[in-house]
Amino acid sequence: MKRRTAGRHRLAAGGIFWSTLRSLDHTQRFLIVLLTLLGVFMLLPIVYVFNHAFKPLQELFLFPPTFFVHQPTLDNFTELFSFSDQSFIPMTRYILNSLIISAVSTIGMVVFGALCAYPLSKHPFPGRKLIFGLILVSLMVSVEAMGIPRYLVVRQLDIMNTYWGHILPILALPLGVFLLKQFMDQMPDELIEAAKIDGASEFRVFTAIVLPVVSPAVATLIILAFQTAWGNTETSQLFMQDEAMKSWPYFVGSLTTNLANNVARQGAAAAAALILFIPNLIIFLISQRKVIQTMAHSGIK
Amino acid sequence: MSDSVQELLNHPVAGRQSKMTSKLQPALKRTFRQIWKYRLSYLFMAPFLIVFTLFIMIPVLSGVVLSFTYFNSIEFPKWNGWLNYQNLLSQDVIFLKHVIPNSFKFALFVGPVGYVLAFLLAWLIAQLPGALRNWYALAIYAPSLTGGVAVVVVWQVLFTGDRTGYLNNLLLKWNIIQQPIPFTIDPDYLMPVMIIVTTWASMGLGFLAILAGILNIDRQLYEAAKIDGMGSRLQEIWYITIPMMKPQMLFAAVMAIANTLKSGQIGTDLSGLSPTPNYAGQLFNDHIRDYAFTRLELGYACSISIVLLGITILFSRMVWSLLGPKEGE
């Protein structure tokens, strides 16, 4: 019984797929073939990350590395968990740290960025060119040179070994402001003026009109902000002496780099890399779908 | 509201009054009044600007100051004047002979090619029916999503230097070459391999922004153009798509410049050697990292990054003058 319904579901899904395909014109079909070939090639790293995590030890060390796992096993995951059981800090603590840090800083990056982009795009206040110029220039600075001054600032603020020490230094995301401003520039000013004539306050204009219109850009920014925050190892390395405050990618990094010659932990590292990757994937899929849906439905362009 | 009208109301005879003293004061007053008028705008920007100042502006400015010093991260920095810059531009053979040509070669290929590809792929995906777009976007963005590690492994399988590498294996089988080529170690091949791999991985943020920009364009514009007799897809792209998404194109271009000039480490990742063989894959950032973390000459490293910053700003100004909003737009 169960199997039959499953089969029917598959059939229905397949039906939708084929009917979509049939409705395409020739150019679209050609494009699909072309993009599929390219897409498969581009997807290789994801395929690799998934397969790698389930490889038994002897397969992990094949050279050249193989893509597909031949005898999948869960050993790497059990090893990762038992390894962290023996250590002083449980693995879940690192993951929890990272989840807290990434959630708060992603929200902060997007909210701060949007709040800053709106006046930059729509208000002719004095100093606007200067501020936007500074933000643009800061996009081009390489982080290598900023390490020591940043350390001093964090120490002055007395936020070492706290979550703030993780969150505050990465909160200013200049490219978020730039991205959102570029999308807001496309909004017609009349829309905002009309709302103001109707008596809406600046803040209400911002939340009720500007943000919904640029929501595709916001969704794009969420992908990027989360990726930045989730993958960040710099703050753990520089500002956290307390092991219990360090982040998950830092822990994964220490598994792979310090123990490059340690055969035993390669499997744990492969499993950890998968766990490191999955949140990025989920955020991307949700946000990107949002981009495409809002585009399809939004009336104001 | 027009400010000049308000100004005339407030200072009906300001221009005609006396010459020197009253000229500056109204100007100052005017500025303050302007600033006060827009206090809400500043309030909106305040949260960002505070963290921006603390964690970006102050560190960058101290970087500029440090670039004029000798600083080894242990002792207090010693003032050096222009010495670092003089050495960089006249003594540093590696920088002049390898880093600069490498970086420009790398950026000139990866930047424009990656940019055009990002636009092309985003446009192709936008032509697909909605339900499929998400998955193709995921595929194209995949290399940026997985980060550096997997990217290098994927290409190492292909480019491994002995006959077990896929590419060598194929070339040997087809009798194109007699000896396997050590692609990632041979100085002659390293740079092309770096360019290919980086271009493949460069469909990141610029691609997403362009895709969102293309999807944002009102479909009615295309229909109107069709009625007016626009024939080909190419005309559509040139006369509707690109002009309608100028802000996103500009964003992608500036990001492409900043990211390609800022990239580094890829040569080391691919060849497994640092520095890369014969400095064939040494880029700006590798040079900075070398001086900052290996030789601990932080003042010198800072002066390299300031030079890099100058070059990047120069390039993006060029792009800005091409794509940026013109007066009156």
Side-chain angles (χ1 to χ4, degrees):
Chain A
M1 195 62 206
K2 227 177 195 176
R3 187 173 290 168
R4 194 181 281 169
T5 41
R8 205 178 295 149
H9 270 297
R10 206 175 304 137
L11 244 169
I16 289 167
F17 181 72
W18 286 116
S19 66
T20 336
L21 260 193
R22 236 175 278 133
S23 68
L24 303 175
D25 57 39
H26 282 295
T27 5
Q28 277 181 322
R29 271 187 215 158
F30 172 73
L31 282 182
I32 287 203
V33 173
L34 190 85
L35 279 173
T36 308
L37 288 177
L38 189 75
V40 167
F41 185 57
M42 301 294 267
L43 272 173
L44 287 179
I46 293 185
V47 177
Y48 176 81
V49 170
F50 272 97
N51 277 283
H52 201 58
F54 296 102
K55 282 176 192 166
L57 210 53
Q58 69 273 17
E59 278 185 50
L60 281 173
F61 285 93
L62 282 181
F63 196 84
T66 49
F67 254 96
F68 297 105
V69 52
H70 297 298
Q71 295 159 314
T73 161
L74 283 173
D75 286 356
N76 295 334
F77 291 91
T78 48
E79 193 199 321
L80 178 65
F81 281 93
S82 67
F83 163 69
S84 60
D85 274 347
Q86 296 154 19
S87 67
F88 190 59
I89 315 280
M91 196 183 80
T92 42
R93 170 77 202 222
Y94 295 109
I95 295 185
L96 184 73
N97 283 350
S98 269
L99 284 177
I100 294 172
I101 297 162
S102 321
V104 177
S105 24
T106 304
I107 294 169
M109 285 174 190
V110 174
V111 171
F112 283 21
L115 277 172
C116 184
Y118 170 53
L120 276 178
S121 173
K122 294 298 176 203
H123 298 168
F125 60 88
R128 154 162 118 146
K129 278 205 169 136
L130 176 76
I131 292 177
F132 187 53
L134 284 175
I135 291 175
L136 273 184
V137 167
S138 72
L139 282 173
M140 293 150 199
V141 177
S142 55
V143 273
E144 272 74 20
M146 306 198 306
I148 290 171
R150 261 192 177 173
Y151 176 86
L152 297 175
V153 170
V154 169
R155 208 175 57 183
Q156 280 298 312
L157 293 176
D158 204 18
I159 50 172
M160 283 187 141
N161 293 317
T162 65
Y163 285 119
W164 293 117
H166 279 290
I167 294 164
L168 288 179
I170 60 169
L171 217 47
L173 193 69
L175 71 85
V177 176
F178 186 24
L179 178 72
L180 293 177
K181 183 195 170 279
Q182 295 304 88
F183 274 83
M184 288 176 189
D185 280 353
Q186 283 186 318
M187 277 183 72
D189 292 340
E190 292 81 16
L191 210 62
I192 294 168
E193 262 148 42
K196 275 186 196 162
I197 290 167
D198 287 349
S201 67
E202 279 289 355
F203 191 71
R204 179 132 174 78
V205 170
F206 174 69
T207 51
I209 295 174
V210 177
L211 278 187
V213 172
V214 297
S215 66
V218 172
T220 306
L221 181 57
I222 289 174
I223 297 172
L224 188 92
F226 184 83
Q227 237 179 306
T228 313
W230 178 254
N232 178 32
T233 55
E234 192 204 350
T235 52
S236 297
Q237 198 179 340
L238 294 175
F239 315 139
M240 303 295 138
Q241 283 78 41
D242 185 354
E243 192 62 30
M245 284 306 296
K246 293 189 171 176
S247 66
W248 171 243
Y250 180 82
F251 173 73
V252 174
S254 68
L255 267 185
T256 45
T257 47
N258 297 342
L259 309 159
N261 301 319
N262 190 330
V263 175
R265 285 179 195 160
Q266 292 287 334
L274 180 64
I275 302 179
L276 192 59
F277 167 68
I278 288 201
N280 280 338
L281 181 67
I282 294 171
I283 296 281
F284 179 87
L285 286 176
I286 295 172
S287 303
Q288 189 62 26
R289 177 165 301 153
K290 189 109 189 119
V291 173
I292 284 156
Q293 272 172 359
T294 32
M295 295 294 185
H297 297 308
S298 79
I300 336 155
K301 301 273 166 73
Chain B
M1 253 273 277
S2 62
D3 302 324
S4 48
V5 172
Q6 210 168 34
E7 207 186 294
L8 270 176
L9 289 174
N10 292 334
H11 308 273
V13 282
R16 258 175 266 157
Q17 256 182 0
S18 69
K19 310 283 161 199
M20 296 304 276
T21 44
S22 55
K23 224 170 190 175
L24 192 69
Q25 259 187 345
L28 261 178
K29 229 182 202 170
R30 198 165 61 221
T31 318
F32 278 125
R33 188 168 303 126
Q34 278 281 316
I35 290 179
W36 182 247
K37 185 180 152 201
Y38 286 107
R39 58 193 180 279
L40 202 61
S41 313
Y42 296 105
L43 196 69
F44 265 72
M45 295 185 297
F48 182 86
L49 289 182
I50 291 169
V51 277
F52 180 75
T53 310
L54 277 176
F55 296 101
I56 296 181
M57 282 283 281
I58 292 177
V60 170
L61 288 178
S62 356
V64 175
V65 174
L66 279 179
S67 75
F68 292 101
T69 63
Y70 171 82
F71 183 37
N72 57 12
S73 88
I74 304 159
E75 297 163 66
F76 192 77
K78 269 199 296 277
W79 190 255
N80 248 352
W82 290 96
L83 190 68
N84 285 333
Y85 291 94
Q86 278 171 17
N87 284 344
L88 182 65
L89 297 175
S90 62
Q91 307 279 312
D92 193 335
V93 180
I94 298 169
F95 180 72
L96 297 170
K97 261 188 77 181
H98 299 286
V99 175
I100 287 191
N102 281 348
S103 299
F104 278 102
K105 208 190 292 172
F106 181 81
L108 279 178
F109 277 103
V110 175
V113 173
Y115 183 64
V116 171
L117 272 180
F119 179 80
L120 215 65
L121 288 170
W123 186 81
L124 287 177
I125 288 176
Q127 307 306 308
L128 296 175
L132 291 171
R133 283 182 199 146
N134 205 9
W135 299 104
Y136 284 95
L138 170 69
I140 302 299
Y141 190 68
S144 312
L145 201 57
T146 39
V149 192
V151 171
V152 169
V153 173
V154 169
W155 288 90
Q156 256 174 2
V157 182
L158 203 64
F159 284 130
T160 303
D162 51 31
R163 53 188 66 244
T164 56
Y166 287 2
L167 191 58
N168 269 322
N169 205 322
L170 271 181
L171 291 176
L172 283 171
K173 211 193 278 172
W174 293 340
N175 279 328
I176 296 172
I177 52 169
Q178 306 306 319
Q179 290 287 319
I181 304 170
F183 288 105
T184 58
I185 307 198
D186 189 327
D188 291 339
Y189 287 99
L190 182 59
M191 180 52 79
V193 172
M194 278 165 61
I195 289 172
I196 294 171
V197 173
T198 314
T199 312
W200 176 75
S202 69
M203 301 302 126
L205 181 63
F207 163 76
L208 289 184
I210 292 179
L211 180 61
I214 293 180
L215 294 174
N216 206 10
I217 297 170
D218 199 338
R219 309 293 322 162
Q220 288 172 0
L221 279 174
Y222 293 108
E223 280 153 29
K226 224 169 224 170
I227 293 167
D228 286 350
M230 186 174 279
S232 72
R233 283 278 168 93
L234 275 177
Q235 275 182 319
E236 255 183 36
I237 295 180
W238 192 251
Y239 290 111
I240 301 176
T241 313
I242 293 180
M244 285 306 291
M245 48 175 295
K246 254 188 167 178
Q248 287 84 8
M249 301 289 283
L250 183 63
F251 173 80
V254 171
M255 291 317 296
I257 291 170
N259 286 339
T260 40
L261 281 171
K262 270 200 305 193
S263 54
Q265 192 72 38
I266 177 81
T268 307
D269 282 347
L270 281 170
S271 65
L273 299 167
S274 177
T276 46
N278 207 3
Y279 292 103
Q282 203 85 348
L283 301 178
F284 262 116
N285 240 328
D286 299 311
H287 205 55
I288 295 174
R289 234 173 263 165
D290 186 22
Y291 274 95
F293 303 127
T294 318
R295 308 185 200 205
L296 287 179
E297 290 190 31
L298 289 157
Y300 193 68
C302 281
S303 63
I304 309 172
S305 23
I306 300 297
V307 170
L308 172 61
L309 180 64
I311 294 173
T312 321
I313 292 174
L314 209 72
F315 272 95
S316 45
R317 282 216 78 103
M318 274 163 50
V319 165
W320 205 271
S321 63
L322 280 175
L323 286 171
K326 307 284 182 287
E327 287 301 318
E329 223 179 89

